[in-house]
Amino acid sequence: MESPRSTPNRVVLTLVCIVLAVLLLADFASVQANRIVPGQGLGLFKALGSVWASGLIAGLLAIAALAWRPNPLRYRLMLALVVLLLCQLPLSLAWFIHLHIADDQPYARAGIAAGGWTLLFIGSLLLIECRQRMQPAPFWWRAAPLGLVLISAWLIYSGDLAALSLLREYSSRRSEFWQALAGHLSLVGGALLGSLIIGLLLAWLTLRVPRLQRPIFGLLNFFQTIPSLALFGLLIAPLSYLANKYPVLQGLGIHGIGWAPAIIALVAYSLLPVVRNTSVALSGVAPAVIESAHGMGMSSWQVLRQVRVPLALPVIIEGIRITTIQAIGLVAVAALIGASGFGSFIFQGLGQGAMDLVLLGALPTIFLALLADALFSALARHCQPGVRA
Amino acid sequence: MTPTPMIELSHVSRLFDNAVAVDDISLQINSGELCVIVGTSGCGKSTTLRLLNKLISCSSGNIRIDGEDIAGLDAKLLRRRMGYAIQNTGLFPHWSVERNIGVVPTLLGWSPEKIKARVHELLELLSLPYAEFAHKFPSQLSGGQAQRVGVARALAGDPDILLMDEPFGALDPITRDSLQNELLRIQSQINKTIVFVTHDIDEALKLATRIVVMDKGRIVQHDTPANLLDRPVNEFVQSLLGQNERGLKRASLEPVKTHMQALSGDLPEHSVNVDDTLRQAMSLMYWHRTDILCVRDADNHAVGLLPMRALLDSPTA
């Protein structure tokens, strides 16, 4: 059957044009003889050799050709090409290192330049666009993120990417990296736990005593308006004073700087989304449902546990999701007052002008945030009450 | 012998912030009655209903259920003994139809097998096949189906008393009519004491054994539908009944059976069913331009004649 002529997918065409322009005009990757000297950027054809580079360009052109008159079959092909494009990225980096860095150069390092980053970024956007155009999307679109992670992991494990500047930074700070991860996670976890305990209590209070709603939300809103750095700073003085006055607090590890002010500030920031979502979700349950629950002879506790909470859960989890992502970002800033976490790499890197070190802190932070987002979104979907008609 | 009242209110009042919602009402509802409380919005009819299952407490006066003063009873245990169905169904959106209906039996601590059997029985009673509906969620039901599930849920704990607060108010006229017939059919099978609140006087006349008319928190009249039409106590009741329509409403309470005459001579061309009302007979006469109908029973046998003049006779027993 002849389908009506479809219109070009302008999003895909635009994205391909951008990535082609960047690949042809800017550097794809760079090499440095050691950490100190400035790097030398290489264009796509120089970096990967003409065969690999031509293949890459041909693939991108093929995607553009398919997007000119798209139909379901062509979207399938497009998606397959995008998956390939993303999966070959770590391989192309390994190939680049193989071509340009000899084994007897222990200090030489390879960096990803504008072209490489653009390819990763635009490739992800292409993946999202193709996925959204296909309803339902074929299950194998997941091969792209999975392949990207697995192939990278394999190449890191085998040592083929060892010369990548990011990994050079990692290998010289191996134990610090895992400490930072542990520190980051425990601060986020502690803040989450604290804000959940206090937040759920406050939410319950706003429901039982509606008069308290205004002052509570007013206070929490006020916390949100203080810049995070200022709040961290403001906490140093009172905590140092308390720690000096009561040595028992010092024994607990509470000082003006370090984890204590970080946790306090994080909890203060995290409370608003938790309290607001919980309070709105619990009070938003249809009055008829609550009335009939009471009318059936449920106790107040049964109404809360069997009706209010299950119906409110997706919105409450949404609040926890926002809180977690926010906390992951804020912990990075808390490095400035001596709290552990990936932030310390970022600020050290900024101080030394070493962008690779900044990335060593920034990339895992972004990865943690994305992971938390995916996890809590899935959890909220799982808790969706009943079946949507 | 006078039957013992199942529900008895004596001098009950309820104030909301010094505004009187229910004003010194006394009322007896006997076992097996379908008592309809009717009135305009804000007349205190819903408040009265909620006083019965202690969703609202009395400001003064007392209420006896089956001889017991409810002031001394635990609200939860009292409510589990009474079915409760409301306008927007109040079904729990996160639970299947089966689990919704099983709420009160679960609270009463029945065994899972017994609950399942009860759900099965009730869904069949309300013409919702178990296999098709038990595992649906409320969002997948039509308005009429959801309301049937609401009624099934109210009946689930096998209560003596059923409280219904405008249960069919949000339904379209056709669905409402079929659910009213359904309620009458079910009531003839299970014979509960039902207190039914509505603002629709036609619904009240159709369903009630006795009607309580309320206005401004007081009971204006408490009587059978026929007596209410024949002898409204004041202008408010008259206006509620509709001035010009009263005759037709009254006619719809009289069955053809009580006015028909013995067969004689040729059978008239057009027929009416013996269980139809005089109102339907009048409609048929007008439609067919005739002044006499043949009365037939369910098996289509002619059992009597209904001339127009007979409509004006007082009914025979």
Side-chain angles (χ1 to χ4, degrees):
Chain A
M1 195 183 78
E2 193 64 34
S3 57
R5 286 161 68 87
S6 50
T7 53
N9 182 324
R10 293 197 182 83
V11 177
V12 172
L13 288 175
T14 313
L15 289 175
V16 171
C17 285
I18 294 172
V19 75
L20 279 175
V22 174
L23 282 178
L24 295 174
L25 299 175
D27 294 335
F28 180 75
S30 65
V31 282
Q32 260 177 302
N34 55 53
R35 194 174 181 224
I36 314 295
V37 300
Q40 182 203 354
L42 297 170
L44 180 67
F45 281 82
K46 263 219 177 104
L48 295 181
S50 49
V51 177
W52 197 303
S54 318
L56 206 57
I57 300 285
L60 285 167
L61 289 175
I63 292 174
L66 289 169
W68 186 251
R69 294 261 172 254
N71 61 27
L73 175 70
R74 288 179 190 166
Y75 271 118
R76 248 168 207 284
L77 288 171
M78 233 187 285
L79 186 65
L81 282 172
V82 172
V83 170
L84 275 179
L85 184 74
L86 285 169
C87 288
Q88 64 85 43
L89 265 178
L91 290 169
S92 71
L93 282 179
W95 179 242
F96 169 74
I97 290 166
H98 174 77
L99 286 181
H100 297 280
I101 294 175
D103 287 339
D104 57 355
Q105 294 175 279
Y107 300 110
R109 42 177 64 204
I112 306 170
W117 289 121
T118 310
L119 198 58
L120 174 65
F121 180 62
I122 299 238
S124 312
L125 290 182
L126 285 172
L127 182 74
I128 293 167
E129 169 67 14
C130 289
R131 211 190 76 187
Q132 280 178 347
R133 293 285 168 165
M134 300 168 79
Q135 292 298 346
F139 71 95
W140 48 265
W141 71 266
R142 294 180 179 82
L146 210 67
L148 198 61
V149 170
L150 287 181
I151 294 173
S152 306
W154 165 250
L155 292 173
I156 290 168
Y157 176 75
S158 69
D160 285 301
L161 288 177
L164 203 61
S165 51
L166 201 59
L167 287 171
R168 290 264 200 250
E169 294 292 342
Y170 165 72
S171 59
S172 65
R173 289 182 174 75
R174 203 181 296 261
S175 65
E176 286 170 57
F177 181 86
W178 294 106
Q179 270 173 19
L181 178 66
H184 211 105
L185 287 180
S186 51
L187 276 177
V188 171
L192 204 61
L193 197 70
S195 60
L196 271 184
I197 294 171
I198 304 173
L200 294 182
L201 220 66
L202 283 179
W204 180 77
L205 210 62
T206 60
L207 289 179
R208 293 314 293 254
V209 194
R211 220 159 16 90
L212 288 177
Q213 265 178 30
R214 281 179 72 92
I216 288 178
F217 282 116
L219 185 71
L220 297 182
N221 269 316
F222 170 69
F223 282 137
Q224 290 281 316
T225 60
I226 309 175
S228 53
L229 208 51
L231 187 56
F232 288 138
L234 282 174
L235 285 167
I236 294 178
L239 277 175
S240 319
Y241 172 77
L242 285 175
N244 283 331
K245 187 142 191 219
Y246 304 102
V248 63
L249 290 179
Q250 282 189 32
L252 289 171
I254 294 174
H255 302 283
I257 58 167
W259 64 264
I263 286 270
I264 293 173
L266 286 169
V267 169
Y269 281 121
S270 302
L271 280 177
L272 184 66
V274 171
V275 177
R276 190 182 46 203
N277 278 42
T278 308
S279 171
V280 166
L282 286 178
S283 58
V285 177
V289 171
I290 302 298
E291 186 189 317
S292 69
H294 283 293
M296 300 283 118
M298 285 189 179
S299 65
S300 295
W301 171 244
Q302 282 168 328
V303 174
L304 184 72
R305 206 173 58 81
Q306 297 187 23
V307 181
R308 273 190 197 269
V309 169
L311 286 175
L313 207 55
V315 183
I316 297 176
I317 291 175
E318 175 66 16
I320 299 173
R321 185 183 70 90
I322 297 171
T323 292
T324 311
I325 293 172
Q326 183 180 270
I328 289 172
L330 284 174
V331 167
V333 181
L336 283 176
I337 53 161
S340 57
F342 288 120
S344 53
F345 293 147
I346 298 178
F347 292 114
Q348 275 176 40
L350 285 172
Q352 301 171 3
M355 286 326 279
D356 298 320
L357 188 52
V358 174
L359 285 179
L360 188 67
L363 288 181
T365 310
I366 295 170
F367 182 73
L368 281 182
L370 290 176
L371 197 68
D373 180 53
L375 231 67
F376 282 111
S377 298
L379 194 63
R381 265 200 306 281
H382 179 75
C383 295
Q384 205 59 246
V387 172
R388 300 274 150 210
Chain B
M1 186 191 104
T2 51
T4 47
M6 180 59 114
I7 301 170
E8 190 175 10
L9 290 79
S10 48
H11 302 288
V12 172
S13 295
R14 169 69 206 197
L15 306 169
F16 287 116
D17 301 327
N18 294 323
V20 185
V22 172
D23 189 2
D24 189 33
I25 64 173
S26 296
L27 175 66
Q28 292 190 356
I29 300 168
N30 293 331
S31 182
E33 260 198 89
L34 203 169
C35 173
V36 177
I37 305 179
V38 68
T40 51
S41 49
C43 70
K45 55 190 193 297
S46 282
T47 308
T48 307
L49 192 76
R50 286 169 205 207
L51 289 170
L52 297 180
N53 65 358
K54 289 180 87 169
L55 280 174
I56 300 174
S57 57
C58 304
S59 303
S60 65
N62 62 63
I63 299 175
R64 292 174 176 278
I65 302 281
D66 211 3
E68 274 182 292
D69 191 336
I70 64 167
L73 296 176
D74 180 83
K76 296 190 296 292
L77 300 180
L78 176 73
R79 289 172 194 157
R80 290 171 198 174
R81 283 167 45 197
M82 297 180 159
Y84 187 53
I86 58 176
Q87 176 167 350
N88 291 314
T89 74
L91 292 178
F92 302 134
H94 57 310
W95 285 355
S96 67
V97 165
E98 175 153 29
R99 201 162 166 205
N100 263 290
I101 297 177
V103 170
V104 176
T106 308
L107 289 170
L108 291 171
W110 293 11
S111 71
E113 300 79 43
K114 193 176 166 193
I115 295 174
K116 193 172 168 131
R118 180 69 180 156
V119 171
H120 212 291
E121 180 188 339
L122 283 167
L123 282 175
E124 301 298 331
L125 181 70
L126 283 145
S127 324
L128 299 168
Y130 179 90
E132 191 183 341
F133 287 98
H135 304 295
K136 286 197 169 173
F137 283 87
S139 58
Q140 296 168 302
L141 302 174
S142 71
Q145 289 164 351
Q147 205 50 260
R148 281 162 200 261
V149 173
V151 173
R153 183 173 68 167
L155 288 169
D158 203 11
D160 297 325
I161 296 171
L162 201 55
L163 307 179
M164 307 180 91
D165 193 351
E166 304 215 24
F168 309 143
L171 301 175
D172 64 85
I174 296 171
T175 311
R176 191 188 314 151
D177 196 55
S178 80
L179 272 168
Q180 287 165 353
N181 294 333
E182 201 100 329
L183 181 66
L184 288 173
R185 175 178 66 77
I186 292 168
Q187 171 65 351
S188 70
Q189 290 177 28
I190 58 177
N191 207 32
K192 305 281 183 195
T193 306
I194 302 178
V195 186
F196 189 110
V197 163
T198 183
H199 62 264
D200 179 353
I201 186 69
D202 290 310
E203 186 167 65
L205 290 169
K206 178 174 177 180
L207 296 176
T209 54
R210 283 206 292 170
I211 294 177
V212 175
V213 179
M214 286 187 72
D215 185 33
K216 301 190 184 96
R218 289 173 167 272
I219 293 179
V220 182
Q221 190 167 3
H222 181 201
D223 225 325
T224 62
N227 281 341
L228 201 69
L229 284 161
D230 292 345
R231 289 180 286 277
V233 293
N234 63 14
E235 276 181 22
F236 175 76
V237 180
Q238 272 179 30
S239 71
L240 195 70
L241 291 167
Q243 302 288 4
N244 299 330
E245 298 278 310
R246 265 169 71 193
L248 287 175
K249 281 175 181 161
R250 186 69 181 82
S252 67
L253 295 175
E254 299 275 356
V256 164
K257 203 169 358 207
T258 55
H259 285 73
M260 71 182 181
Q261 298 175 350
L263 283 170
S264 67
D266 294 336
L267 290 182
E269 186 185 353
H270 301 288
S271 305
V272 64
N273 197 292
V274 69
D275 291 320
D276 283 346
T277 65
L278 288 190
R279 181 181 180 143
Q280 285 161 312
M282 285 155 72
S283 171
L284 286 168
M285 283 179 190
Y286 178 78
W287 185 253
H288 294 299
R289 311 284 157 173
T290 179
D291 61 0
I292 186 160
L293 292 170
C294 174
V295 181
R296 292 177 183 275
D297 65 10
D299 300 324
N300 213 24
H301 296 305
V303 291
L305 293 176
L306 187 69
M308 196 179 264
R309 284 235 19 116
L311 299 177
L312 308 180
D313 298 341
S314 45
T316 55

